[in-house]
Amino acid sequence: IFWEPNDNAEDNLYNANNGKETSDKQPLHIEFGVKLYATQLMHEEDSFGKDYDSLAGAWDGIVDEDVPAADENGVITLTTGAELAAFAISVNEGTSYADKTVKLGADINLGNKAFTPIGACDSKTYFQGTFDGAGYTIDGLYYNGPKSKVGLFCYAKNATVKNCVVSADVTSQAGNVTDEEGNIVGTPATGVLAGRVNENAVISGIVTTGNVTVSAGVAGGVIGSAHQAAISEVLSTANVGEGNT
């Protein structure tokens, strides 16, 4: 756009105020400032799918100091990655949550930050309560390390885990455990939901996606290894493979 002086006083005044006193046949330069705001929530979907703002509200890797207090019904509700990470640490430090219910109150995006699985197999600290996903999604779960039991849960023992969607990229670098004669006496177990579940564990209403990679042992899209567990209504589209990482 360029201008020529004309008989319209308003046009001439406008252009003069924008730095052009005479016509130079050059475009009239006007700057505009535009701010864009992403408003889509994690659980909303549009024509781009639910990943349009995939990192909206994602966990920044910081862990809350304490697990949220239980409500009047004794239920602990988790709504952020920081709370979920604090819960994992509390289990790993020895709180089993036996006879207690922990539930999700919102979708949680872990932002592909390194997450320590719930339960520490080496110290035999297991989750033994009820974990109710309440239909919410845990997205962006990431682990790549030496643990021998890997998933959202390292090990769920005599526990109930239900009603949850989990999307993860998990890798166990652990190898088989052998005795002095070279016989395999222990194998790693890796899954999106849990590395291992046993002793009357109940798993139901679970959907998983993502990638599971192992160097050795057993692996599954939902659970790596299960023993004396009741498993129903589970679905996985996760890719499961072996590789050295």
XYZ file of all heavy atoms in Angstrom, residues 54-139:
618
model
N -0.380 -30.945 23.310
C -0.023 -32.138 24.075
C 0.747 -31.831 25.347
O 0.722 -32.608 26.297
C 0.792 -33.093 23.196
O 1.995 -32.486 22.780
N 1.460 -30.707 25.395
C 2.235 -30.399 26.589
C 1.563 -29.352 27.469
O 2.172 -28.850 28.406
C 3.642 -29.922 26.179
C 4.506 -30.989 25.489
C 5.866 -30.409 25.158
C 4.650 -32.228 26.354
N 0.300 -29.027 27.163
C -0.404 -28.069 28.004
C -0.536 -28.609 29.421
O -1.048 -29.688 29.642
C -1.793 -27.784 27.423
N -0.019 -27.880 30.378
C -0.116 -28.297 31.772
C 0.755 -29.482 32.119
O 0.509 -30.161 33.113
N 1.793 -29.751 31.312
C 2.630 -30.916 31.562
C 3.474 -30.737 32.828
O 3.844 -29.624 33.197
C 3.537 -31.188 30.364
N 3.796 -31.861 33.453
C 4.640 -31.885 34.648
C 6.022 -31.328 34.314
O 6.612 -31.651 33.284
C 4.741 -33.325 35.140
C 5.566 -33.533 36.365
C 5.545 -32.794 37.509
C 6.509 -34.590 36.596
N 6.417 -33.316 38.432
C 7.019 -34.410 37.900
C 6.964 -35.658 35.829
C 7.974 -35.273 38.443
C 7.902 -36.515 36.363
C 8.398 -36.325 37.656
N 6.557 -30.510 35.228
C 7.870 -29.903 34.996
C 8.998 -30.667 35.677
O 10.148 -30.224 35.669
C 7.878 -28.450 35.480
C 7.516 -28.309 36.962
O 7.393 -29.340 37.651
O 7.343 -27.166 37.412
N 8.679 -31.831 36.272
C 9.698 -32.639 36.919
C 9.875 -32.369 38.400
O 10.608 -33.084 39.090
N 9.202 -31.341 38.903
C 9.295 -31.010 40.331
C 8.310 -31.876 41.116
O 7.161 -32.059 40.709
C 9.002 -29.524 40.570
C 10.068 -28.667 39.860
C 8.969 -29.202 42.061
C 9.819 -27.185 39.942
N 8.766 -32.404 42.247
C 7.961 -33.320 43.062
C 7.422 -32.586 44.288
O 8.175 -31.879 44.972
C 8.802 -34.526 43.522
C 7.954 -35.496 44.335
C 9.416 -35.231 42.314
N 6.119 -32.733 44.557
C 5.562 -32.158 45.780
C 6.183 -32.807 47.008
O 6.583 -33.975 46.977
C 4.042 -32.357 45.823
C 3.301 -31.336 44.984
O 3.967 -30.470 44.376
O 2.057 -31.405 44.919
N 6.264 -32.051 48.086
C 6.861 -32.584 49.307
C 6.000 -33.664 49.945
O 6.516 -34.607 50.539
C 7.094 -31.448 50.310
C 8.169 -30.455 49.874
C 8.440 -29.422 50.942
O 7.808 -29.513 52.029
O 9.272 -28.538 50.704
N 4.685 -33.515 49.837
C 3.781 -34.456 50.495
C 2.689 -34.930 49.547
O 2.305 -34.227 48.607
C 3.129 -33.801 51.721
C 4.136 -33.356 52.755
O 4.901 -34.205 53.230
O 4.171 -32.146 53.061
N 2.182 -36.118 49.823
C 1.016 -36.633 49.122
C -0.218 -35.910 49.665
O -0.293 -35.626 50.857
C 0.888 -38.155 49.351
C -0.366 -38.706 48.699
C 2.128 -38.868 48.838
N -1.197 -35.567 48.819
C -2.399 -34.896 49.317
C -3.060 -35.683 50.448
O -3.022 -36.917 50.475
C -3.310 -34.832 48.092
C -2.370 -34.849 46.933
C -1.233 -35.737 47.352
N -3.669 -34.963 51.370
C -4.361 -35.608 52.486
C -5.622 -36.311 51.999
O -6.234 -35.913 50.995
C -4.714 -34.562 53.536
N -6.003 -37.348 52.696
C -7.226 -38.091 52.358
C -8.451 -37.252 52.682
O -8.439 -36.414 53.599
C -7.261 -39.402 53.118
N -9.540 -37.454 51.923
C -10.786 -36.759 52.212
C -11.534 -37.459 53.347
O -11.009 -38.379 53.986
C -11.652 -36.647 50.958
C -12.091 -38.004 50.407
O -12.016 -39.017 51.138
O -12.518 -38.049 49.231
N -12.769 -37.030 53.586
C -13.542 -37.578 54.709
C -13.847 -39.057 54.543
O -14.149 -39.754 55.518
C -14.844 -36.797 54.892
C -15.813 -36.845 53.717
C -15.517 -35.802 52.653
O -14.452 -35.165 52.732
O -16.372 -35.628 51.754
N -13.740 -39.537 53.299
C -13.967 -40.961 53.045
C -12.673 -41.763 53.013
O -12.679 -42.950 52.687
C -14.718 -41.133 51.726
C -16.096 -40.501 51.749
O -16.842 -40.659 52.716
N -16.429 -39.772 50.691
N -11.586 -41.099 53.304
C -10.298 -41.781 53.321
C -9.671 -41.964 51.963
O -8.718 -42.733 51.806
N -10.164 -41.238 50.953
C -9.654 -41.362 49.588
C -8.643 -40.254 49.311
O -8.902 -39.076 49.580
C -10.798 -41.293 48.558
C -10.241 -41.335 47.135
C -11.778 -42.432 48.793
N -7.518 -40.635 48.761
C -6.480 -39.680 48.371
C -6.629 -39.416 46.871
O -6.615 -40.343 46.068
C -5.077 -40.234 48.668
C -4.913 -40.455 50.168
C -3.994 -39.302 48.139
C -3.674 -41.244 50.538
N -6.770 -38.152 46.482
C -6.977 -37.801 45.081
C -5.766 -37.060 44.531
O -5.309 -36.078 45.103
C -8.234 -36.927 44.910
O -9.376 -37.647 45.412
C -8.468 -36.590 43.443
N -5.267 -37.549 43.389
C -4.114 -36.951 42.725
C -4.557 -36.245 41.451
O -5.312 -36.813 40.662
C -3.087 -38.028 42.370
C -2.672 -38.998 43.485
C -1.721 -40.059 42.938
C -2.017 -38.236 44.636
N -4.090 -35.018 41.243
C -4.514 -34.261 40.067
C -3.351 -33.695 39.252
O -3.579 -33.125 38.191
C -5.435 -33.091 40.470
O -4.718 -32.223 41.367
C -6.699 -33.595 41.155
N -2.117 -33.824 39.739
C -0.963 -33.265 39.030
C 0.185 -34.273 38.970
O 0.234 -35.234 39.749
C -0.445 -31.992 39.726
O 0.126 -32.349 40.993
C -1.564 -30.976 39.919
N 1.111 -34.029 38.070
C 2.294 -34.867 37.992
C 3.124 -34.792 39.256
O 3.713 -35.797 39.684
N 3.190 -33.611 39.856
C 3.959 -33.441 41.085
C 3.385 -34.290 42.219
O 4.133 -34.858 43.032
C 3.981 -31.965 41.490
N 2.056 -34.403 42.269
C 1.417 -35.235 43.295
C 1.622 -36.715 43.015
O 1.863 -37.504 43.941
C -0.071 -34.907 43.371
C -0.369 -33.508 43.903
C -1.832 -33.147 43.868
O -2.632 -33.896 43.247
O -2.201 -32.101 44.450
N 1.533 -37.109 41.737
C 1.742 -38.513 41.382
C 3.179 -38.932 41.698
O 3.418 -40.033 42.202
C 1.440 -38.722 39.899
C 1.566 -40.153 39.373
C 0.564 -41.078 40.060
C 1.366 -40.189 37.856
N 4.137 -38.055 41.429
C 5.538 -38.357 41.726
C 5.763 -38.453 43.233
O 6.534 -39.315 43.702
C 6.439 -37.288 41.119
N 5.101 -37.604 43.994
C 5.225 -37.671 45.456
C 4.637 -38.973 45.990
O 5.190 -39.589 46.915
C 4.515 -36.473 46.092
N 3.534 -39.403 45.390
C 2.924 -40.681 45.762
C 3.885 -41.832 45.481
O 4.056 -42.735 46.306
C 1.611 -40.850 44.997
C 1.062 -42.244 44.963
C 0.657 -42.873 46.132
C 0.943 -42.928 43.759
C 0.141 -44.166 46.099
C 0.434 -44.207 43.715
C 0.034 -44.833 44.890
N 4.538 -41.811 44.311
C 5.502 -42.855 43.963
C 6.626 -42.922 44.985
O 7.017 -44.008 45.441
C 6.067 -42.605 42.566
N 7.141 -41.779 45.367
C 8.236 -41.746 46.339
C 7.781 -42.292 47.690
O 8.520 -43.027 48.361
C 8.775 -40.313 46.480
C 9.545 -39.928 45.215
C 9.684 -40.187 47.703
C 10.030 -38.504 45.200
N 6.554 -41.951 48.084
C 6.067 -42.424 49.385
C 5.962 -43.948 49.414
O 6.258 -44.580 50.429
C 4.717 -41.781 49.730
O 3.674 -42.295 48.913
N 5.542 -44.549 48.282
C 5.501 -46.013 48.209
C 6.921 -46.568 48.252
O 7.216 -47.520 48.985
C 4.777 -46.481 46.929
C 4.867 -48.005 46.802
C 3.317 -46.047 46.946
N 7.805 -45.964 47.496
C 9.181 -46.447 47.431
C 9.897 -46.339 48.777
O 10.846 -47.081 49.040
C 9.957 -45.674 46.363
C 9.387 -45.872 44.979
O 8.559 -46.754 44.772
N 9.804 -45.069 44.035
N 9.425 -45.426 49.616
C 10.034 -45.261 50.940
C 9.351 -46.100 52.017
O 9.712 -46.001 53.182
C 10.023 -43.789 51.326
C 10.966 -42.943 50.461
C 10.958 -41.478 50.840
O 10.025 -41.063 51.573
O 11.869 -40.745 50.397
N 8.354 -46.911 51.597
C 7.812 -47.872 52.544
C 6.336 -47.804 52.854
O 5.818 -48.638 53.589
N 5.598 -46.823 52.309
C 4.154 -46.753 52.554
C 3.438 -47.640 51.547
O 3.479 -47.378 50.341
C 3.643 -45.309 52.436
O 4.368 -44.476 53.343
C 2.153 -45.232 52.758
N 2.768 -48.682 52.016
C 2.139 -49.653 51.109
C 0.739 -49.246 50.660
O 0.239 -49.744 49.662
C 2.052 -51.016 51.792
O 1.093 -50.988 52.841
N 0.089 -48.362 51.416
C -1.292 -47.946 51.165
C -2.264 -49.119 51.213
O -3.322 -49.105 50.568
C -1.424 -47.209 49.826
C -0.735 -45.861 49.846
C 0.607 -45.741 49.486
C -1.400 -44.713 50.257
C 1.257 -44.525 49.520
C -0.760 -43.480 50.287
C 0.573 -43.397 49.920
O 1.214 -42.185 49.961
N -1.923 -50.144 51.960
C -2.817 -51.287 52.134
C -4.145 -50.813 52.708
O -4.186 -49.996 53.637
C -2.168 -52.310 53.056
N -5.241 -51.303 52.121
C -6.605 -50.959 52.546
C -6.945 -49.485 52.334
O -7.902 -48.982 52.915
C -6.821 -51.318 54.030
C -6.615 -52.791 54.303
O -7.032 -53.602 53.463
O -6.009 -53.132 55.336
N -6.181 -48.798 51.506
C -6.471 -47.397 51.194
C -6.716 -47.249 49.698
O -6.274 -48.069 48.891
C -5.319 -46.488 51.634
C -5.073 -46.493 53.139
C -4.010 -45.498 53.519
C -3.733 -45.549 55.024
N -4.939 -45.203 55.797
N -7.432 -46.179 49.325
C -7.726 -45.899 47.923
C -7.048 -44.616 47.483
O -7.177 -43.573 48.129
C -9.240 -45.776 47.675
O -9.868 -47.040 47.946
C -9.531 -45.373 46.234
N -6.323 -44.714 46.384
C -5.716 -43.552 45.740
C -6.352 -43.430 44.361
O -6.393 -44.410 43.614
C -4.187 -43.714 45.613
C -3.576 -42.520 44.899
C -3.555 -43.903 46.992
N -6.874 -42.264 44.028
C -7.562 -42.122 42.750
C -7.080 -40.878 42.022
O -6.530 -39.946 42.619
C -9.077 -42.059 42.952
C -9.561 -40.815 43.669
C -11.081 -40.813 43.847
C -11.799 -40.747 42.526
N -13.260 -40.585 42.688
N -7.300 -40.878 40.712
C -7.006 -39.699 39.912
C -8.222 -38.779 39.890
O -9.365 -39.245 39.833
C -6.638 -40.087 38.480
C -5.370 -40.919 38.288
C -5.118 -41.148 36.792
C -4.166 -40.264 38.934
N -7.953 -37.474 39.907
C -9.030 -36.501 39.826
C -8.945 -35.652 38.578
O -9.732 -34.717 38.388
N -7.979 -35.986 37.695
C -7.794 -35.242 36.447
C -6.827 -36.019 35.568
O -6.114 -36.913 36.035
C -7.240 -33.842 36.724
N -6.812 -35.688 34.274
C -5.767 -36.209 33.406
C -4.426 -35.661 33.887
O -4.329 -34.505 34.302
C -5.989 -35.759 31.959
C -7.212 -36.399 31.320
O -7.557 -37.527 31.703
O -7.813 -35.760 30.439
N -3.380 -36.482 33.797
C -2.046 -36.048 34.210
C -1.074 -36.266 33.055
O -0.944 -37.377 32.541
C -1.572 -36.818 35.458
C -2.449 -36.447 36.672
C -0.107 -36.516 35.749
C -2.072 -37.180 37.948
N -0.409 -35.191 32.647
C 0.600 -35.268 31.598
C 1.971 -35.158 32.254
O 2.328 -34.112 32.803
C 0.400 -34.131 30.597
C 1.292 -34.277 29.376
O 2.325 -34.948 29.418
N 0.898 -33.645 28.282
N 2.742 -36.226 32.198
C 4.065 -36.249 32.829
C 5.146 -35.640 31.934
O 6.319 -35.585 32.328
C 4.438 -37.680 33.216
C 3.562 -38.281 34.332
C 3.899 -39.752 34.537
C 3.709 -37.511 35.627
N 4.767 -35.183 30.760
C 5.667 -34.400 29.935
C 6.936 -35.099 29.489
O 7.929 -34.449 29.143
N 6.946 -36.443 29.521
C 8.131 -37.224 29.143
C 9.345 -36.921 30.019
O 10.483 -37.155 29.606
C 8.477 -37.001 27.657
C 7.381 -37.473 26.734
O 6.869 -38.583 26.876
N 6.984 -36.629 25.792
N 9.075 -36.411 31.213
C 10.148 -36.258 32.190
C 10.423 -37.612 32.838
O 9.527 -38.450 32.955
C 9.750 -35.245 33.267
C 9.506 -33.826 32.765
C 10.788 -33.164 32.368
C 10.605 -31.664 32.144
N 9.618 -31.322 31.119
N 11.659 -37.841 33.259
C 12.016 -39.109 33.892
C 11.164 -39.322 35.144
O 11.143 -38.482 36.038
C 13.498 -39.117 34.249
N 10.463 -40.447 35.184
C 9.555 -40.755 36.291
C 10.006 -42.056 36.948
O 10.272 -43.047 36.270
C 8.124 -40.913 35.769
C 7.103 -41.200 36.830
C 6.523 -40.171 37.549
C 6.716 -42.511 37.107
C 5.576 -40.438 38.532
C 5.765 -42.783 38.080
C 5.204 -41.745 38.792
N 10.107 -42.035 38.256
C 10.479 -43.242 38.998
C 9.249 -44.104 39.221
O 8.268 -43.643 39.807
C 11.094 -42.882 40.359
O 12.258 -42.076 40.145
C 11.488 -44.137 41.122
N 9.245 -45.350 38.750
C 8.075 -46.215 38.910
C 7.643 -46.357 40.365
O 8.456 -46.234 41.288
C 8.563 -47.555 38.336
C 9.609 -47.176 37.347
C 10.312 -46.001 37.965
N 6.362 -46.628 40.544
C 5.777 -46.746 41.881
C 6.119 -48.117 42.449
O 5.742 -49.153 41.895
C 4.245 -46.562 41.815
C 3.909 -45.189 41.214
C 3.624 -46.714 43.194
C 2.464 -45.039 40.803
N 6.829 -48.131 43.560
C 7.268 -49.376 44.171
C 8.743 -49.609 43.902
O 9.224 -49.365 42.798
N 9.474 -50.046 44.909
C 10.911 -50.281 44.767
C 11.186 -51.759 44.986
O 11.187 -52.247 46.118
C 11.693 -49.426 45.767
N 11.409 -52.483 43.902
C 11.564 -53.934 43.988
C 12.799 -54.347 44.775
O 12.801 -55.368 45.458
C 11.626 -54.524 42.587
S 10.156 -54.163 41.614
N 13.861 -53.548 44.669
C 15.094 -53.926 45.345
C 14.944 -53.911 46.860
O 15.565 -54.690 47.570
C 16.251 -53.024 44.912
C 15.908 -51.544 45.019
O 14.750 -51.224 45.296
O 16.827 -50.723 44.818
N 14.097 -53.000 47.365
C 13.888 -52.938 48.814
C 12.572 -53.580 49.234
O 12.160 -53.481 50.387
C 13.914 -51.473 49.277
O 12.896 -50.732 48.628
N 11.901 -54.224 48.265
C 10.643 -54.937 48.525
C 9.579 -54.032 49.143
O 8.905 -54.393 50.110
C 10.901 -56.163 49.404
C 11.860 -57.166 48.771
C 11.974 -58.429 49.586
C 12.991 -59.387 48.994
N 12.652 -59.772 47.615
N 9.442 -52.854 48.592
C 8.351 -51.963 48.995
C 7.363 -51.899 47.836
O 7.702 -51.440 46.749
C 8.877 -50.553 49.328
O 9.623 -50.050 48.215
C 9.771 -50.598 50.554
N 6.151 -52.392 48.079
C 5.169 -52.555 47.013
C 3.918 -51.739 47.304
O 3.577 -51.476 48.459
C 4.760 -54.028 46.872
C 5.892 -55.005 46.906
C 5.913 -56.028 47.848
C 6.939 -54.911 46.003
C 6.951 -56.943 47.884
C 7.984 -55.819 46.027
C 7.995 -56.836 46.967
O 9.029 -57.726 47.003
N 3.198 -51.361 46.231
C 1.875 -50.780 46.406
C 0.892 -51.913 46.664
O 0.827 -52.885 45.905
C 1.459 -49.997 45.163
C 0.075 -49.423 45.253
C -0.188 -48.357 46.094
C -0.964 -49.944 44.506
C -1.469 -47.819 46.193
C -2.240 -49.422 44.588
C -2.492 -48.355 45.436
N 0.083 -51.790 47.731
C -0.846 -52.855 48.109
C -2.258 -52.333 48.360
O -3.057 -52.996 49.012
C -0.333 -53.574 49.354
C 1.036 -54.220 49.156
C 1.492 -55.004 50.367
O 0.847 -55.975 50.764
N 2.599 -54.584 50.960
N -2.563 -51.151 47.842
C -3.898 -50.593 48.022
C -4.723 -50.669 46.751
O -4.522 -51.541 45.910
N -5.667 -49.725 46.588
C -6.483 -49.605 45.384
C -6.118 -48.321 44.670
O -6.134 -47.243 45.266
C -7.983 -49.584 45.729
O -8.363 -50.849 46.285
C -8.827 -49.321 44.485
N -5.769 -48.450 43.398
C -5.490 -47.284 42.571
C -6.592 -47.198 41.530
O -6.699 -48.055 40.650
C -4.123 -47.400 41.899
C -3.729 -46.178 41.109
C -3.046 -45.139 41.709
C -4.056 -46.076 39.757
C -2.685 -44.012 40.987
C -3.701 -44.950 39.028
C -3.013 -43.916 39.651
N -7.414 -46.169 41.635
C -8.566 -45.993 40.748
C -8.295 -44.809 39.822
O -8.271 -43.656 40.254
C -9.823 -45.748 41.575
C -11.080 -45.641 40.715
O -10.973 -45.771 39.471
O -12.165 -45.440 41.280
N -8.085 -45.098 38.526
C -7.850 -44.023 37.567
C -9.072 -43.194 37.268
O -8.963 -42.109 36.692
N -10.251 -43.688 37.662
C -11.512 -42.963 37.486
C -11.740 -42.537 36.031
O -12.433 -41.550 35.763
C -11.559 -41.736 38.413
N -11.155 -43.276 35.090
C -11.350 -42.970 33.675
C -10.403 -41.932 33.115
O -10.460 -41.604 31.927
N -9.514 -41.413 33.942
C -8.575 -40.390 33.485
C -7.348 -41.015 32.822
O -7.129 -42.225 32.882
C -8.147 -39.504 34.653
C -9.245 -38.595 35.155
C -9.873 -38.831 36.380
C -9.661 -37.497 34.400
C -10.883 -37.999 36.843
C -10.678 -36.663 34.853
C -11.273 -36.915 36.070
O -12.269 -36.092 36.513
N -6.544 -40.153 32.197
C -5.368 -40.583 31.441
C -4.083 -40.090 32.081
O -3.987 -38.922 32.494
C -5.439 -40.046 29.995
O -6.567 -40.620 29.334
C -4.177 -40.382 29.223
N -3.104 -40.976 32.153
C -1.732 -40.583 32.494
C -0.938 -40.644 31.198
O -0.785 -41.709 30.593
C -1.122 -41.518 33.552
C -1.886 -41.387 34.873
C 0.361 -41.186 33.771
C -1.428 -42.362 35.946
N -0.452 -39.503 30.769
C 0.221 -39.397 29.479
C 1.681 -38.991 29.699
O 2.036 -38.415 30.725
C -0.479 -38.337 28.624
C -0.097 -38.408 27.166
O 0.563 -39.384 26.768
O -0.460 -37.475 26.417
